[in-house]
Amino acid sequence: SVDTLAVMAYRQHVTVAEILERRGVESPPAIKSLLDKKLIVAKGRKDTIGRPMMYGTSKEFLLQFGLKDLSELPSVEDFHDLSG
């Protein structure tokens, strides 16, 4: 669930198919768990064929991780620096 949550945090308003493309594995159980914990919320439907649901992080996500807003997330470059 953590990697699914990370994808959503960094790529707000993402569909299940986009998460699958990014992670390479199915995510429905992780998405259900994150919805149940109120860490993510539905953000509407994508204007494309099938009109898939888009998801993003919630206010609860910000509270749980001690963030004022998403701009306080570490940058992707910070992760590259840590990995050497």
Side-chain angles (χ1 to χ4, degrees):
S1 292
V2 174
D3 51 341
T4 299
L5 185 58
V7 170
M8 289 185 181
Y10 282 93
R11 301 185 67 174
Q12 289 292 309
H13 302 108
V14 64
T15 66
V16 172
E18 292 166 339
I19 295 168
L20 171 62
E21 181 181 310
R22 185 76 174 157
R23 291 186 59 229
V25 295
E26 294 287 332
S27 300
I31 291 170
K32 181 177 179 343
S33 174
L34 294 169
L35 284 166
D36 290 346
K37 294 175 183 171
K38 299 186 181 348
L39 294 174
I40 64 169
V41 293
K43 298 285 189 169
R45 295 194 174 270
K46 190 167 186 170
D47 192 19
T48 187
I49 296 173
R51 299 200 27 88
M53 185 64 69
M54 295 184 298
Y55 298 94
T57 54
S58 66
K59 289 182 182 180
E60 183 64 25
F61 167 82
L62 296 174
L63 290 171
Q64 289 292 321
F65 289 93
L67 302 170
K68 291 179 187 169
D69 58 44
L70 293 173
S71 69
E72 291 188 338
L73 285 170
S75 70
V76 175
E77 290 79 23
D78 290 340
F79 289 112
H80 289 296
D81 291 345
L82 289 174
S83 65

